Amino acid sequence: MTDGCIRSKCMAIAQSHFLNTPYKGESVIDLYKVDGFANKASGICHYCTVDTLNSILKDKSLRFTDVRFLNDSTEFVEIIPLIKEVLNGIHYPSSFREFLLNSKAICELEEYKQSYIGFSRMEHDFKQTFYHTYTCSFSTNSDSLSMWNYYGTTTAGLNVVFDFAWNMFKGCEKTEVNIGEKLSNDIMIYRRLILYSRDDKEKCVVELLNRLAKIFEEVEDNLEKYKGSILYAFKEAINNMRCFFKNESFRSEEEYRTVLKIPEDLLLAETLVDEIKAKGVFKKGNILIPYVDYKFKPESIKRITINPYEKETDSMFELGIRNLLWMKKLENVKIAHSNIPIRKYD
């Protein structure tokens, strides 16, 4: 097999995320039914307060927070022990297992800072640069009791429903549910459905390792020549899926997530690029959480859902929202009320 073929296979793996693996066995009918996987990027919603809605529409941006500060403390790192369990639990050749487990790539994956080849605005050349990872969370359920319990108990809660995930950000227009694209200024954007089930996560990891094991077997007699490409594919594929694994305890959130990987150059620069409205930290409790406010298309908003504690139709709460939408020239956005019959106790 030629050098080009091996390296092409590794590059293809490096650009993959394997998050479609759990859905491979589903029929076309099941994939495209109303609640099927293929429709999960339509009608996603962002739960928030009315103050946040005001900020979103004022700045025409959505807030992305550093992946290290999410409510699931196992995110970003839980995939490492899973990889080790799969490698030790499935009958992979010992040479392949030790190749990965003893590699520098495993140690690098345990770190937050990751790198890729991009264009340095400071040095005006292509170089290996570090990126930071920021996420913005949505839900595929626009009337979720568990989510209202987060955002609705003060009666100021609502959610913003978007028509399609691929109509929200400039340059991110592919219609697949799970997709990654390069935006301007070497920012990478990934839109994907969160996986909660350990079995589903394991299927993704196994699919990746099986493909790598096959390449390893083909080149084992000449491993020194190709080990860099194999380890690069391994590390990149893991980075492409790790932000979309979440602990099963959070399953009720039914999350769909957008991730931005932003070069350090942009975060350290004094001047903001056009797409980034603001950057910095905000305080939550006694913690300072890094954030980036990234521009989105307001015309992608199709509905506002009001929390189940606000029962009165045409209330002052609703009237205020309608007036805000009118001022932002979003008069076609519908306002709906939650269908959950919950009591409010004063």
Side-chain angles (χ1 to χ4, degrees), residues 53-178:
L53 172 65
N54 188 31
S55 296
I56 287 172
L57 295 182
K58 177 184 176 182
D59 297 330
K60 298 180 181 178
S61 65
L62 288 167
R63 176 152 294 182
F64 287 73
T65 55
D66 190 304
V67 72
R68 294 169 293 179
F69 294 81
L70 299 175
N71 54 359
D72 177 1
S73 61
T74 66
E75 287 198 56
F76 204 70
V77 295
E78 71 159 327
I79 197 169
I80 308 301
L82 178 58
I83 292 167
K84 294 176 180 179
E85 287 177 29
V86 171
L87 280 170
N88 288 316
I90 295 179
H91 296 296
Y92 292 110
S94 59
S95 55
F96 173 69
R97 183 169 58 247
E98 291 167 8
F99 171 70
L100 290 183
L101 291 177
N102 297 329
S103 69
K104 185 180 177 182
I106 285 285
C107 298
E108 290 174 343
L109 284 168
E110 291 173 340
E111 300 293 327
Y112 166 68
K113 290 174 69 172
Q114 303 296 322
S115 64
Y116 67 102
I117 303 298
F119 187 79
S120 170
R121 290 165 57 86
M122 294 181 177
E123 300 182 21
H124 303 288
D125 198 5
F126 287 93
K127 59 171 285 189
Q128 186 177 44
T129 185
F130 289 101
Y131 60 79
H132 288 225
T133 306
Y134 295 81
T135 73
C136 186
S137 296
F138 305 88
S139 178
T140 59
N141 185 348
S142 63
D143 202 10
S144 164
L145 180 58
S146 66
M147 295 303 291
W148 288 130
N149 284 335
Y150 281 138
Y151 295 98
T153 53
T154 64
T155 73
L158 50 82
N159 65 50
V160 185
V161 183
F162 301 88
D163 51 7
F164 306 106
W166 56 86
N167 189 38
M168 293 175 62
F169 302 98
K170 183 179 178 181
C172 183
E173 298 164 351
K174 294 181 180 178
T175 60
E176 291 91 337
V177 173
N178 293 332

Side-chain angles (χ1 to χ4, degrees), residues 302-336:
K302 74 172 186 178
R303 188 173 74 247
I304 304 291
T305 311
I306 295 176
N307 72 80
Y309 299 95
E310 190 65 50
K311 304 288 188 185
E312 186 181 347
T313 304
D314 296 325
S315 64
M316 295 296 289
F317 182 70
E318 181 177 333
L319 180 61
I321 294 173
R322 288 189 185 280
N323 192 65
L324 174 62
L325 293 171
W326 171 76
M327 287 190 291
K328 299 302 178 183
K329 299 180 181 179
L330 295 172
E331 296 174 76
N332 291 327
V333 175
K334 295 180 180 179
I335 295 182

